[in-house]
Amino acid sequence: MAQKPSIPKGTRDFSPVEMAKRNYIFNSIKEVFALYGFQQIETPAMENLSTLMGKYGEEGDKLLFKILNSGDFLHGMTADEVANTSTLKLAAKFCEKGLRYDLTVPFARYVVQHREELALPFKRYQIQPVWRADRPQKGRYREFYQCDADVVGSDSLLYEVEIIQMIDAVFTKFGARVCIKVNNRKILSGIAEMIGQADKIVDITVAMDKLDKIGLAGVNAELAGAGVPAEAIEKLQPIIELRGTNEEKLATMKEVLKDSETGLKGVEELEWILNTLKVSAGVLKNEVELDLTLARGLNYYTGAIFEVKALDVEIGSITGGGRYDNLTGIFGMPGLSGVGFSFGADRIFDVLNQLNLYPKEAVETTKVLFVNFGEKEMQFCMGAAAQLRAAGVSVEIYPDSVKMKKQMSYANAKAIPFVAIVGETELAEGKVNVKNMMTGEQSLMTAEEMVKQLA
Amino acid sequence: MAQKPSIPKGTRDFSPVEMAKRNYIFNSIKEVFALYGFQQIETPAMENLSTLMGKYGEEGDKLLFKILNSGDFLHGMTADEVANTSTLKLAAKFCEKGLRYDLTVPFARYVVQHREELALPFKRYQIQPVWRADRPQKGRYREFYQCDADVVGSDSLLYEVEIIQMIDAVFTKFGARVCIKVNNRKILSGIAEMIGQADKIVDITVAMDKLDKIGLAGVNAELAGAGVPAEAIEKLQPIIELRGTNEEKLATMKEVLKDSETGLKGVEELEWILNTLKVSAGVLKNEVELDLTLARGLNYYTGAIFEVKALDVEIGSITGGGRYDNLTGIFGMPGLSGVGFSFGADRIFDVLNQLNLYPKEAVETTKVLFVNFGEKEMQFCMGAAAQLRAAGVSVEIYPDSVKMKKQMSYANAKAIPFVAIVGETELAEGKVNVKNMMTGEQSLMTAEEMVKQLA
């Protein structure tokens, strides 16, 4: 036999069971999106490179998969010109299109391109693969799905509240316990302003995040090492040691940030969000925690920042997002505020796997296999199968009257829970012998009784 | 404002309404696939070019989208070497990967690569986009979805029967009347054998297909023009003029093909399929018609051939498929028989559009919009919204207390059927004024009553 064919490194085939689990995840998320009026869109896998280049930094440009122009991609370049052009520039000459790198830039492009058709605020979600020419490693792929939801065209904090509700609803559906962490970019700006160290905000949040591991003295030493002056470190003490309920934290921050208009605005926004969640929207099933060390997407987010941690599995952030003010500015449409979030599908897949949280029905495909004993019996089985399928029961008929053992091992391989046997005796009675593959129990029944029991 | 961004020619954005319609189509098809035990898989967008090249003919190789290798794709080629290498060969040097061109070759690759894990017969379906560097034109795109289902590892005709049942079930679900045409490659081979014109079989089916338009004399003239000898044309007369029920046609064919073993085998197969459909599987809603002019995929199919025509819309084939014997031979795994079919998603989309067959619920997103009259009212609305969402009703709350007109125009733009109004009076009563946007009818009710009425 020839060499086994393979797929490009960093890519994956999704086999039936994985696919069923992924469908369960995406369908559950889609149901929640729909409950809040989010609508699905899709954009092409290929975008013009002019849309993608320069949007992800220099490193990102290199990680874009570029598509060779069809036909004469050299466009009459001479050998000399080729020799004297850098690889990166040659790539730009040879390629006009690239594969999308994320769903954010294509969404921004979509909003600008379709702005006349859109009713604002526009709530969209998008579940599609993205491609990155990253070095593949455990848990990092060159093709992976992103699952993003955004509202653009409104700065109402109601959407922050609803996003937290949606995150809570999704993980409650999954039966996975999570902590929903929130922060606000304006609070971080306020802190930086207060201590006069705007450029050190990332170092500060990174150091603060280590309090549990290295203690207060350790954090202070790290801050000093990062070049934060002693006076500023002094002022940071109440923030580093911030503990207690969200209300207590907000009260402290109000005091600490009393001289920063921006900082106070951030506190006020968070206060509104947390209060509104409490008074008006029923009780969330998961905890929402104010966490000042949350600094994801710091260059991009301008208001709320979200991040979700699984409580029962050691894994990084499984969902995140935030408020931004300038999604579409890169395409010449400034001033559109929005807020969005993204479910990490691969990590959620791993969490549900590790905690064994997939419901049986989500991975079950065929419910009944009719064993095949020959032409006459099969025709009877087809009638019964038609009745079951009409009632929504997934049914297969084994295609040939081969040995029972082979037919049963097919049922086992597909984890089919019921096997239906129609031999000469059953045929004479017009009944089916239904075997429960879990318990081994068998019972003789009519097709109608099967429908009643299995539909 | 900068120039509007755009997408590569031949590609499309799918906006919410189109997306909802497409989801309705794919979900309906998926439900039927599941009832027959077909399981979904997905393969990567990128395949190794060694997997794709040479599988679609010379023209196909040119239509593959190739992905430029990352980094130094020149691999140290000198300017001279570049100058002295053809564009096609350079492309092969610069690119190791390409975008999938269809779902068949990746499926064959998948089966061979995963053969040790698969329980045969293996029933899979796959719904993913494919890419072709074709010249874009009306109805032809460079990125489009294919929707394929196949069973491999069995030559049982039961699967031909079930495929016809599935096609019937899908279009019955859609409410679209279709004709399911069937033929058999062996019958066509038998005809060619009988008249000694194996190489003319395509010309013959093409000419026969024109009987209604150009009459018998016209067909015979076209056959002569295609180089079919007079004696052979004479022998073809009963086949060209074949009319009547499927039974009558089969009876005639049995007589005509009595000296061709292959031909008779084909007749026998079709006879079994049509009889089994009739006696054992309930009544199909759509007509199945034996059509000898059906010759799709002639080089590929070895048994049954299917094709579906919409009866109430002028459009080409909307679904097709057939039995093949050598899907995986190209990857060194010969002798695996299979049968498959493919729904033409774009054309089905057009058919349902033209006949206005999308159910209201399929395109409806948000069911209730709560108008926003201010902070206090909004908090009350959020409580009601939470109750409705818990009952599965899709709800939005307008994010700001702006002018009523603006809020209502949002409801109109999203075609939201119910608008819920909570002003001072309603708030005092703890009730909601629900307006039916179709009838204009308004009624005052509690959140619980809303759930009862709208869930």
Side-chain angles (χ1 to χ4, degrees):
Chain A
M1 193 173 285
Q3 212 200 328
K4 242 192 187 185
S6 62
I7 49 178
K9 64 178 177 196
T11 69
R12 292 168 286 178
D13 285 325
F14 294 109
S15 287
V17 174
E18 291 157 296
M19 207 49 216
K21 290 178 174 178
R22 292 168 62 86
N23 280 340
Y24 166 71
I25 291 173
F26 288 133
N27 289 338
S28 303
I29 294 172
K30 284 163 100 166
E31 277 171 31
V32 172
F33 285 157
L35 287 178
Y36 286 78
F38 283 71
Q39 298 177 298
Q40 190 172 14
I41 69 162
E42 282 190 4
T43 61
M46 302 188 272
E47 294 274 353
N48 292 320
L49 276 177
S50 56
T51 299
L52 301 176
M53 296 286 282
K55 308 304 190 299
Y56 307 103
E58 215 173 295
E59 193 52 29
D61 282 353
K62 284 189 202 146
L63 298 184
L64 290 170
F65 279 112
K66 297 169 188 78
I67 293 162
L68 197 68
N69 293 337
S70 309
D72 177 23
F73 61 86
L74 286 173
H75 280 311
M77 276 182 95
T78 65
D80 265 1
E81 284 170 318
V82 171
N84 294 319
T85 311
S86 74
T87 319
L88 211 63
K89 283 215 174 113
L90 273 184
K93 284 252 178 200
F94 294 170
C95 304
E96 281 166 10
K97 295 178 288 287
L99 294 180
R100 70 175 158 252
Y101 180 89
D102 70 2
L103 301 178
T104 305
V105 169
F107 175 53
R109 192 268 309 146
Y110 176 92
V111 168
V112 176
Q113 192 175 329
H114 298 266
R115 60 181 177 272
E116 269 117 40
E117 311 150 27
L118 300 182
L120 296 184
F122 179 56
K123 299 166 137 182
R124 88 84 171 79
Y125 73 89
Q126 199 168 346
I127 302 176
Q128 292 191 275
V130 302
W131 296 270
R132 297 181 184 179
D134 250 322
R135 192 174 299 277
Q137 51 179 261
K138 193 180 175 319
R140 193 202 279 166
Y141 302 100
R142 291 185 146 193
E143 173 182 70
F144 58 98
Y145 271 77
Q146 288 193 335
C147 172
D148 286 16
D150 289 83
V151 197
V152 295
S154 166
D155 58 7
S156 170
L157 295 175
L158 173 67
Y159 291 127
E160 274 82 341
V161 171
E162 291 199 336
I163 284 175
I164 293 171
Q165 291 178 338
M166 289 163 80
I167 292 172
D168 181 70
V170 164
F171 289 104
T172 301
K173 219 178 238 273
F174 290 148
R177 298 191 316 130
V178 298
C179 176
I180 305 169
K181 301 191 170 207
V182 294
N183 193 8
N184 192 302
R185 173 67 168 103
K186 296 188 181 84
I187 293 181
L188 296 178
S189 298
I191 294 170
E193 195 183 312
M194 178 195 77
I195 59 170
Q197 303 286 321
D199 57 324
K200 294 276 173 5
I201 190 67
V202 172
D203 296 318
I204 294 170
T205 57
V206 167
M208 277 166 56
D209 196 28
K210 297 183 183 162
L211 183 66
D212 288 343
K213 271 190 219 138
I214 61 178
L216 184 60
V219 172
N220 287 339
E222 185 158 323
L223 288 171
V228 181
E231 196 195 350
I233 294 177
E234 183 57 35
K235 282 193 190 163
L236 279 173
Q237 296 306 297
I239 297 174
I240 299 172
E241 293 195 278
L242 194 69
R243 283 292 174 276
T245 64
N246 292 332
E247 288 78 3
E248 286 162 356
K249 287 180 185 171
L250 285 171
T252 308
M253 290 311 297
K254 248 186 217 170
E255 183 52 32
V256 173
L257 292 172
K258 62 179 183 297
D259 296 328
S260 162
E261 198 183 324
T262 310
L264 285 179
K265 182 89 173 72
V267 172
E268 195 186 289
E269 286 182 8
L270 264 184
E271 203 166 27
W272 191 91
I273 293 167
L274 294 169
N275 279 335
T276 305
L277 274 171
K278 241 185 298 181
V279 301
S280 50
V283 184
L284 295 183
K285 298 289 183 299
N286 293 284
E287 194 199 347
V288 179
E289 183 196 321
L290 168 55
D291 180 353
L292 289 183
T293 69
L294 212 65
R296 54 179 294 138
L298 208 56
N299 298 321
Y300 181 60
Y301 293 132
T302 53
I305 305 173
F306 312 109
E307 199 164 284
V308 179
K309 299 262 182 203
L311 291 184
D312 303 310
V313 177
E314 280 284 336
I315 204 166
S317 159
I318 53 177
T319 293
R323 162 77 61 183
Y324 44 81
D325 275 339
N326 200 13
L327 175 73
T328 51
I330 41 171
F331 298 116
M333 187 182 174
L336 200 67
S337 184
V339 56
F341 65 122
S342 182
F343 287 100
D346 284 315
R347 285 191 177 167
I348 292 173
F349 181 89
D350 289 343
V351 168
L352 301 200
N353 254 350
Q354 284 186 47
L355 301 177
N356 200 14
L357 290 177
Y358 293 100
K360 196 170 51 99
E361 314 77 54
V363 286
E364 181 180 285
T365 50
T366 303
K367 197 150 194 178
V368 185
L369 175 73
F370 281 89
V371 170
N372 192 327
F373 279 103
E375 186 86 8
K376 260 195 334 231
E377 291 85 355
M378 189 189 73
Q379 293 203 345
F380 178 85
C381 291
M382 289 182 78
Q387 287 183 56
L388 283 159
R389 286 172 180 149
V393 182
S394 171
V395 172
E396 289 186 66
I397 300 164
Y398 198 85
D400 303 291
S401 54
V402 294
K403 281 203 185 113
M404 185 78 169
K405 197 179 159 205
K406 196 171 176 192
Q407 303 194 40
M408 293 307 268
S409 78
Y410 178 81
N412 281 326
K414 275 189 100 167
I416 299 175
F418 295 95
V419 166
I421 298 160
V422 178
E424 226 172 297
T425 338
E426 289 87 0
L427 191 61
E429 284 196 66
K431 288 194 173 175
V432 182
N433 195 345
V434 181
K435 180 174 179 181
N436 181 324
M437 295 291 277
M438 287 290 281
T439 64
E441 214 181 325
Q442 300 203 12
S443 48
L444 201 66
M445 52 181 102
T446 61
E448 290 73 24
E449 287 164 342
M450 283 183 82
V451 168
K452 257 189 218 146
Q453 194 153 322
L454 300 173
Chain B
M1 192 174 286
Q3 212 200 326
K4 246 193 185 182
S6 63
I7 50 178
K9 64 177 180 200
T11 68
R12 291 168 286 178
D13 285 324
F14 294 109
S15 286
V17 174
E18 290 157 297
M19 207 51 216
K21 290 178 174 178
R22 290 168 63 86
N23 280 340
Y24 166 70
I25 291 173
F26 289 133
N27 289 338
S28 303
I29 293 172
K30 284 164 101 167
E31 277 172 32
V32 172
F33 284 158
L35 286 178
Y36 285 79
F38 283 72
Q39 298 177 298
Q40 190 173 14
I41 69 163
E42 282 190 4
T43 62
M46 300 189 273
E47 294 275 353
N48 291 321
L49 277 176
S50 57
T51 299
L52 301 177
M53 295 285 282
K55 307 306 189 297
Y56 307 104
E58 213 174 298
E59 193 52 28
D61 282 352
K62 284 190 202 147
L63 299 185
L64 290 171
F65 278 111
K66 299 170 187 77
I67 293 161
L68 197 68
N69 292 338
S70 308
D72 176 24
F73 61 85
L74 287 173
H75 280 310
M77 276 183 95
T78 64
D80 267 2
E81 284 171 318
V82 171
N84 293 318
T85 310
S86 74
T87 320
L88 212 62
K89 283 213 172 114
L90 273 185
K93 284 252 178 201
F94 294 170
C95 303
E96 280 166 9
K97 296 179 287 289
L99 294 180
R100 71 175 159 254
Y101 181 88
D102 69 2
L103 301 179
T104 304
V105 169
F107 175 53
R109 192 267 309 147
Y110 176 92
V111 169
V112 175
Q113 193 176 329
H114 298 267
R115 61 180 176 272
E116 270 117 40
E117 312 149 29
L118 298 183
L120 296 184
F122 179 55
K123 300 166 139 182
R124 87 83 171 80
Y125 73 89
Q126 199 168 346
I127 302 176
Q128 291 192 275
V130 302
W131 296 271
R132 298 181 183 178
D134 249 323
R135 190 174 299 277
Q137 49 178 263
K138 193 179 174 324
R140 192 202 281 165
Y141 302 100
R142 293 184 144 193
E143 173 181 70
F144 58 97
Y145 271 78
Q146 288 193 336
C147 173
D148 285 17
D150 289 83
V151 197
V152 294
S154 166
D155 57 7
S156 170
L157 295 175
L158 173 66
Y159 291 128
E160 273 84 338
V161 171
E162 291 199 338
I163 284 174
I164 292 171
Q165 291 178 338
M166 290 163 80
I167 292 171
D168 181 70
V170 164
F171 289 104
T172 301
K173 220 178 237 271
F174 289 148
R177 299 191 315 129
V178 297
C179 176
I180 304 170
K181 301 191 170 208
V182 294
N183 193 9
N184 192 302
R185 174 67 167 102
K186 297 187 180 85
I187 294 180
L188 295 179
S189 298
I191 294 171
E193 197 183 310
M194 178 194 79
I195 59 170
Q197 302 285 321
D199 57 324
K200 293 276 174 6
I201 190 66
V202 172
D203 295 321
I204 293 169
T205 57
V206 166
M208 276 166 57
D209 195 27
K210 296 184 184 163
L211 183 65
D212 288 342
K213 272 190 219 136
I214 60 177
L216 184 58
V219 172
N220 288 339
E222 186 158 322
L223 287 170
V228 181
E231 197 194 351
I233 296 178
E234 183 56 36
K235 281 191 189 164
L236 279 173
Q237 295 308 297
I239 298 172
I240 300 171
E241 293 195 278
L242 194 68
R243 283 291 175 276
T245 65
N246 292 332
E247 288 79 3
E248 287 163 356
K249 287 180 184 170
L250 285 171
T252 308
M253 290 311 297
K254 249 187 217 172
E255 183 52 34
V256 173
L257 293 172
K258 63 179 183 298
D259 296 327
S260 162
E261 200 182 323
T262 310
L264 285 179
K265 182 88 172 72
V267 172
E268 195 185 288
E269 287 181 9
L270 264 183
E271 203 165 28
W272 192 91
I273 293 167
L274 294 169
N275 279 337
T276 306
L277 274 172
K278 241 184 299 181
V279 300
S280 51
V283 184
L284 295 183
K285 299 287 184 300
N286 292 285
E287 193 199 349
V288 179
E289 184 195 321
L290 167 56
D291 180 353
L292 289 183
T293 69
L294 212 63
R296 55 177 294 137
L298 209 55
N299 297 320
Y300 182 59
Y301 293 132
T302 52
I305 304 173
F306 311 109
E307 198 163 283
V308 179
K309 297 262 182 204
L311 291 183
D312 302 309
V313 177
E314 282 283 337
I315 205 164
S317 159
I318 54 177
T319 292
R323 162 76 62 183
Y324 44 82
D325 276 337
N326 200 13
L327 175 74
T328 52
I330 41 171
F331 297 115
M333 187 183 174
L336 198 68
S337 183
V339 56
F341 66 122
S342 183
F343 288 100
D346 284 316
R347 284 190 177 167
I348 292 172
F349 181 88
D350 288 345
V351 168
L352 302 200
N353 255 349
Q354 283 186 47
L355 301 177
N356 201 13
L357 291 178
Y358 293 100
K360 195 169 53 98
E361 313 79 55
V363 286
E364 181 180 284
T365 51
T366 303
K367 195 150 193 177
V368 184
L369 175 73
F370 281 89
V371 169
N372 192 326
F373 278 104
E375 186 85 10
K376 263 194 332 227
E377 290 85 354
M378 190 189 72
Q379 294 202 344
F380 178 86
C381 292
M382 288 181 78
Q387 288 185 55
L388 283 159
R389 286 172 181 149
V393 182
S394 171
V395 172
E396 288 185 68
I397 300 164
Y398 198 84
D400 303 291
S401 55
V402 296
K403 282 203 185 111
M404 184 77 170
K405 197 180 158 202
K406 197 171 175 193
Q407 303 195 38
M408 294 305 270
S409 78
Y410 178 81
N412 280 327
K414 274 188 101 167
I416 299 175
F418 295 94
V419 166
I421 297 160
V422 178
E424 230 172 293
T425 338
E426 290 87 1
L427 191 60
E429 284 196 66
K431 289 195 173 174
V432 182
N433 194 346
V434 180
K435 180 173 179 181
N436 181 323
M437 295 292 276
M438 287 290 282
T439 63
E441 216 180 323
Q442 301 202 12
S443 47
L444 202 65
M445 52 180 103
T446 62
E448 291 73 22
E449 287 164 342
M450 282 183 84
V451 168
K452 256 189 219 147
Q453 194 154 324
L454 300 174

